[in-house]
């Protein structure tokens, strides 16, 4: 999807959202693992990107990006910082070149050499002129992402924009498609490609007779800041899974004091690498809807390993594919270990029993409906007029505990005894917070 990695900006923006500008420049740079100079340079770059994409919302001189995030974020229905995927998916020189190519292909089919001549004539003075190899590489990238297509016929091949769908739809059908994509992008995962498709459809609507189509029929408030940012690695990992290829990356665990480290490019300032170098074979991607997190489950020298994708940086994919039969065996092994996993826990199975109390004075038993909807393979083993008992076998109790706790006083853990004691202690701690001062 993206031609250029932007690990630093992803980690920068994630921390900016989580801290809301509470860190000083020095604290922020130390936590991120960069210099203060790099911090200032990255912040200037992000301001330029935000201003170029939303000139009507250009910040006042001296206003910090952190203040904009802190006070203006919930005024927008767009997920925060999606502009990274819009503005940094290609380098600046590539974006100018690709814009010229798409403009030239609008309404006509051209060969690579014809596009080379047009591109050389249209690029601003001072920029290096591309060669035939560069143009063909750009055309291949645009073809892979589905923006253009190669016309059937003999060489030299001719290319044209692939916009048959939107051009064949009426204005009413286009509006219906836009509304559908808007709903799906805001409610389903992954979302980035849906948002980009929505933007393209909206531009098409604004060009046509529906230029006044400005009122959004649906409004959303985005809650998971990291989810969109983590999708930067998602498509690379899914591509590696389909090809049974190993990947290499620098990994920063959630407990690490740093979340990013710049590459060593100057031998005079060589330093020991931060993070942990990992080489592993991806098997499965799991999304935790409760916390908005992506997880990578992979096989390495130590067997099955789990990684939070927010800690993955500098990811690269190897060319050699693993043996198909051996890879299938590892998938079966993973599925067996996840058989009783609430999410990704591979610990020892334990049976959990909990009593849920029916809501009083309500004709609709929303507690039971939620348990039946979210309780996965668990069963209701006993029921009377006031409560019901739910039973499930899971790998450990760590992952199911937040779900049980979210029911508040409507849930009482019965077994195992250790989990019951843990819940009692946690509720005592919560109660202490509300004691009179």
């Amino acid at each position: 999807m993206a031609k250029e990695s932007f690990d630093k900006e992803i980690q920068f923006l994630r921390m900016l959202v989580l801290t809301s500008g509470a860190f000083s420049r020095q604290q922020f740079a130390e936590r991120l693992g960069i210099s203060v100079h790099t911090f200032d340079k990255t912040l200037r770059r992000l301001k330029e990107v935000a201003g170029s994409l939303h000139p009507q919302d250009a910040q006042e001189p001296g206003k910090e990006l952190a203040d904009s995030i802190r006070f203006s974020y919930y005024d927008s229905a767009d997920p925060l910082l999606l502009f990274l995927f819009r503005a940094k998916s290609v380098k600046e020189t590539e974006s100018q070149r690709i814009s010229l190519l798409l403009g030239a292909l609008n309404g006509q089919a051209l060969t690579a050499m014809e596009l080379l001549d047009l591109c050389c004539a249209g690029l601003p003075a001072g920029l290096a002129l591309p060669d035939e190899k560069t143009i063909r590489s750009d055309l291949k990238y645009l073809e892979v992402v589905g923006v253009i297509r190669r016309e059937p016929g003999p060489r030299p091949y001719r290319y044209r924009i692939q916009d048959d769908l939107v051009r064949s739809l009426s204005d009413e059908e286009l509006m219906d498609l836009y509304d559908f994509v808007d709903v799906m992008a805001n409610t389903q995962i992954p979302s980035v490609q849906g948002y980009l498709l929505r933007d393209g459809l909206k531009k098409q609507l604004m060009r046509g007779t529906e230029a006044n189509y400005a009122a959004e029929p649906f409004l959303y408030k985005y809650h998971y800041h990291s989810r969109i940012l983590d999708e930067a690695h998602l498509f690379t990992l899914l591509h590696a899974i389909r090809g049974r290829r190993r990947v290499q990356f620098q990994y920063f665990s959630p407990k690490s004091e740093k979340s990013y480290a710049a590459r060593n490019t100057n031998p005079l300032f060589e330093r020991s690498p931060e993070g942990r170098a990992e080489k592993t074979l991806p098997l499965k991607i799991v999304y935790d809807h409760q916390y908005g997190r992506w997880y990578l489950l992979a096989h390495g020298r130590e067997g099955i390993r789990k990684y939070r994708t927010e800690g993955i940086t500098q990811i690269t994919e190897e060319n050699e594919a693993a043996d198909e039969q051996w890879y299938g065996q590892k998938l079966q092994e993973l599925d067996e270990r996840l058989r009783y996993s609430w999410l990704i826990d591979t610990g020892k199975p334990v049976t959990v029993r909990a009593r849920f109390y029916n809501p009083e004075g309500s004709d609709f038993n929303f507690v039971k409906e939620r348990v039946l909807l979210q309780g996965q393979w668990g069963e209701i083993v006993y029921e009377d007029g006031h409560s019901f008992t739910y039973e499930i076998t899971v790998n450990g109790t760590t992952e199911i505990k937040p779900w049980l706790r979210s029911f508040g006083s409507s849930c009482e853990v019965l077994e195992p005894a250790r989990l019951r004691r843990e819940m009692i202690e946690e509720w005592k701690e919560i109660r202490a917070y509300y004691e009179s001062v």
Side-chain angles (χ1 to χ4, degrees):
M1 182 179 169
K3 295 186 71 176
E4 181 184 353
S5 171
F6 38 93
D7 291 331
K8 178 174 60 180
E9 288 81 2
I10 287 176
Q11 300 298 344
F12 187 101
L13 295 174
R14 176 184 285 114
M15 194 180 305
L16 195 60
V17 169
L18 295 177
T19 62
S20 296
F23 283 3
S24 67
R25 291 163 63 245
Q26 184 67 39
Q27 291 172 323
F28 199 107
E30 289 179 357
R31 182 68 177 84
L32 193 57
I34 61 177
S35 66
V36 176
H37 172 72
T38 303
F39 170 88
D40 293 337
K41 188 169 64 174
T42 305
L43 189 58
R44 284 196 301 269
R45 171 59 181 154
L46 291 173
K47 287 182 178 180
E48 291 171 1
V49 171
S52 64
L53 286 168
H54 304 289
Q56 71 277 10
D57 298 328
Q59 299 173 11
E60 301 172 3
K63 186 176 181 181
E64 293 297 329
L65 185 63
D67 292 339
S68 176
I69 289 174
R70 186 188 307 170
F71 298 117
S72 303
Y73 167 63
Y74 287 105
D75 293 338
S76 171
D78 264 353
L80 182 64
L81 310 173
L82 182 63
F83 64 77
L84 270 182
F85 291 87
R86 298 188 180 114
K88 280 188 66 68
S89 292
V90 293
K91 297 177 183 177
E92 185 177 356
T93 53
E94 291 173 335
S95 64
Q96 294 193 33
R97 198 168 59 240
I98 288 175
S99 297
L100 284 173
L101 294 178
L102 294 177
L105 290 172
N106 189 20
Q108 59 181 335
L110 298 172
T111 66
M113 295 306 298
E114 291 172 334
L115 289 168
L116 175 61
D117 294 338
L118 290 169
C119 192
C120 290
L123 280 175
L127 289 181
L129 297 180
D131 54 17
E132 181 184 353
K133 181 179 179 181
T134 303
I135 294 298
R136 292 193 182 278
S137 175
D138 291 338
L139 292 173
K140 182 178 180 181
Y141 168 70
L142 292 172
E143 190 177 4
V144 168
V145 298
V147 176
I148 66 173
R149 77 177 185 185
R150 189 169 62 187
E151 296 276 57
R155 292 176 180 270
Y157 296 125
R158 307 182 76 84
Y159 299 86
R160 73 176 187 86
I161 293 180
Q162 187 166 277
D163 57 354
D164 297 341
L165 175 63
V166 293
R167 291 188 180 277
S168 63
L169 296 177
S170 66
D171 292 337
E172 185 177 353
E173 291 172 331
L174 200 60
M175 289 174 61
D176 289 341
L177 178 60
Y178 172 83
D179 291 342
F180 173 77
V181 171
D182 188 27
V183 171
M184 298 302 287
N186 280 283
T187 58
Q188 303 297 311
I189 54 172
S191 301
V192 167
Q193 291 176 320
Y195 283 112
L196 300 180
L197 175 59
R198 184 193 65 173
D199 290 351
L201 292 171
K202 189 169 187 176
K203 290 178 182 177
Q204 185 70 22
L205 278 170
M206 300 301 285
R207 293 190 194 105
T209 58
E210 298 296 331
N212 294 324
Y213 185 70
E216 301 287 350
F218 308 102
L219 293 177
Y220 301 92
K221 294 300 178 186
Y222 205 78
H223 298 290
Y224 297 124
H225 313 294
S226 296
R227 195 191 90 180
I228 285 291
L229 297 177
D230 290 342
E231 286 190 28
H233 296 317
L234 180 63
F235 303 100
T236 301
L237 293 171
L238 290 175
H239 185 267
I241 290 174
R242 285 193 292 267
R244 307 190 307 278
R245 296 186 180 93
R246 287 180 170 81
V247 294
Q248 299 183 55
F249 51 82
Q250 288 290 118
Y251 184 65
F252 297 83
S253 73
K255 297 180 181 179
S256 173
E257 294 183 357
K258 288 181 170 45
S259 59
Y260 174 80
R263 296 173 185 242
N264 293 323
T265 55
N266 190 334
L268 296 178
F269 296 93
E270 188 77 20
R271 59 185 176 183
S272 59
E274 302 282 351
R276 187 173 72 240
E278 296 284 350
K279 181 178 179 180
T280 190
L281 181 64
L283 298 175
K284 181 175 287 190
I285 301 290
V286 176
Y287 176 67
D288 180 3
H289 69 89
Q290 188 166 12
Y291 293 104
R293 295 172 182 158
W294 293 96
Y295 290 90
L296 166 65
L297 305 182
H299 182 272
R301 289 180 300 178
E302 302 172 1
I304 301 298
R305 294 292 304 274
K306 308 162 196 170
Y307 305 91
R308 287 244 297 258
T309 57
E310 67 190 65
I312 294 177
T313 65
Q314 302 178 28
I315 185 170
T316 57
E317 182 181 348
E318 295 189 351
N319 294 324
E320 185 179 354
D323 178 73
E324 184 175 0
Q325 183 177 359
W326 179 85
Y327 188 79
Q329 292 174 353
K330 297 305 172 185
L331 281 177
Q332 290 180 359
E333 177 185 336
L334 176 63
D335 290 341
E336 181 60 31
R337 294 187 64 179
L338 295 177
R339 181 180 177 187
Y340 296 114
S341 172
W342 184 261
L343 185 67
I344 58 171
D345 198 338
T346 52
K348 294 182 178 180
V350 59
T351 299
V352 174
R353 290 172 59 91
R355 178 183 293 119
F356 290 88
Y357 295 94
N358 300 328
E360 297 182 3
S362 175
D363 296 332
F364 178 66
N365 193 342
F366 55 85
V367 175
K368 183 178 179 180
E369 288 296 318
R370 184 182 166 199
V371 170
L372 292 174
L373 178 65
Q374 302 175 350
Q376 303 201 47
W377 58 90
E379 296 180 321
I380 295 177
V381 295
Y382 173 79
E383 186 173 7
D384 57 30
H386 303 285
S387 65
F388 59 91
T389 302
Y390 165 82
E391 185 175 297
I392 186 173
T393 300
V394 289
N395 290 343
T397 59
T398 302
E399 294 177 342
I400 195 175
K401 188 195 293 185
W403 181 74
L404 295 170
R405 191 169 50 224
S406 67
F407 285 89
S409 60
S410 296
C411 174
E412 177 191 359
V413 174
L414 304 177
E415 297 176 12
R418 178 179 55 81
L419 177 60
R420 181 179 174 88
R421 288 193 299 269
E422 289 177 3
M423 297 289 284
I424 291 173
E425 292 302 317
E426 289 183 10
W427 285 117
K428 284 182 178 179
E429 183 179 354
I430 294 174
R431 179 186 176 187
Y433 294 155
Y434 294 90
E435 290 182 353
S436 59
V437 179

